Amino acid sequence: DSRLPDLTTVKVPEGVDSATVRRTLLETYNIEIGAGVGQFASSVWRIGLMGPNARPESVTLILGALADVLDA
């Protein structure tokens, strides 16, 4: 019933270690995304869409970084 319009929730692909991807994004790209909460802690990522992250170039950066990390 509740949704934060400032966050996008992304389902973690099968077989992917959520924490490892988030750590790699932070260490390699300086991109921080949040884990899910409660029962969704390891099955979704929460990506903020506020401030600088609301720009098209930020979307391109996160999508490229995710593609790179998930392809590795």
Side-chain angles (χ1 to χ4, degrees):
D1 291 329
S2 299
R3 183 185 180 305
L4 293 173
D6 299 336
L7 287 175
T8 292
T9 304
V10 179
K11 186 175 187 255
V12 176
E14 281 292 320
V16 171
D17 184 326
S18 174
T20 298
V21 170
R22 290 185 305 105
R23 183 174 39 257
T24 302
L25 286 172
L26 184 58
E27 292 172 355
T28 305
Y29 297 95
N30 200 32
I31 295 173
E32 185 172 12
I33 62 174
V37 177
Q39 71 185 48
F40 301 105
S42 63
S43 63
V44 299
W45 293 313
R46 297 176 300 139
I47 302 174
L49 299 172
M50 302 164 280
N53 287 344
R55 292 188 224 150
E57 57 270 20
S58 295
V59 174
T60 302
L61 176 64
I62 185 67
L63 290 176
L66 274 170
D68 185 49
V69 171
L70 292 172
D71 192 40

